Each structure stands twice: as structure tokens, then as C-alpha cells.
Amino acid sequence: QVQLVESGGGLVQAGGSLRLSCAASGRTFSNYAMGWFRQAPGKEREFVATIRRIGGNTYYADSVKGRFTISRDNAKNTVYLQMNSLKPEDTAVYYCAARNGGVLVTTAEQADAWGQGTQVTVSS
């Protein structure tokens, strides 16, 4: 199974930007649809964004559409989440997810592998 390691989280003021990275190893990265999810304290893990294995088609949660951009570099085995115009309600632990052979990964149940998570905190 693929192994995932996230990085890039931190503390930022409202309106600021962060770029998360997720490095994959262990299997052929291009076989996996990739996604980002987040979980705030006391809440369930929720879908943020996903990208197809090849071709770059993307899909976003309404709450982040127009502010966040997911991308991938199959040569570097890495998926990114560029987050702009951050809001305090974006505060959460962000998780990278991989789905083997799937077109997209939009629910937690579809994921075959998870990263350990990276904390994003947006201050008002």
C-alpha cells in the first residue's frame, strides 16, 4: 500500500495562504486518485478536494471552491493543496488520502491510505 506524509501546515492569519504537500511512496503514484480531507475538533472528517490519477480533473467542496487548488506532480509522487484567503473556519487537521484505481476520492470510505495529518490554524 502507498505511504503518505503531509507537510506544510502551520499558523496563519485570516486572509493568508498556505501550501500543503503530501509525498507518496511505496507504490505507483499515478495509479491513485488523491484527495485532501480535514477534521476540526469535535467534528467528523470532511472532504476538501480531489484530483484524478492522470489528466488533472479536480473537484472541490463548496466551502473551499475558488480559494483552494489541488494539484499533483506524478514525477515527484506528490500532491499539493494551495490554500488562499484562509478563514478561521478552515482551522483543522488536514489529511492526505489515496484511492487505488479510483477516478476520484470524495468520501473517507473510498480511501485506501491516509497520511498522519498536518495542523492548519487560522487566527482571526
Side-chain angles (χ1 to χ4, degrees):
Q1 194 59 278
V2 68
Q3 288 83 48
L4 306 172
V5 178
E6 300 100 335
S7 61
L11 173 64
V12 64
Q13 288 187 334
S17 299
L18 282 175
R19 188 195 196 201
L20 305 183
S21 299
C22 173
S25 62
R27 289 291 185 268
T28 303
F29 182 65
S30 59
N31 287 347
Y32 290 82
M34 299 299 296
W36 288 94
F37 291 72
R38 66 187 182 186
Q39 188 166 17
K43 295 187 177 181
E44 294 188 352
R45 192 169 298 190
E46 65 174 2
F47 166 75
V48 175
T50 183
I51 188 167
R52 290 187 65 166
R53 290 176 287 161
I54 298 174
N57 292 56
T58 58
Y59 180 68
Y60 298 91
D62 288 343
S63 58
V64 306
K65 201 172 296 182
R67 302 188 296 122
F68 290 11
T69 303
I70 187 172
S71 62
R72 67 189 294 163
D73 186 338
N74 286 347
K76 295 184 178 180
N77 291 353
T78 302
V79 63
Y80 305 96
L81 185 68
Q82 177 67 44
M83 305 185 294
N84 299 329
S85 302
L86 282 162
K87 304 175 181 179
E89 51 262 43
D90 294 318
T91 295
V93 177
Y94 283 70
Y95 296 92
C96 177
R99 182 184 183 188
N100 189 8
V103 175
L104 298 170
V105 53
T106 57
T107 69
E109 292 74 20
Q110 292 173 336
D112 295 307
W114 294 93
Q116 82 288 353
T118 185
Q119 177 71 46
V120 172
T121 302
V122 184
S123 62
S124 57

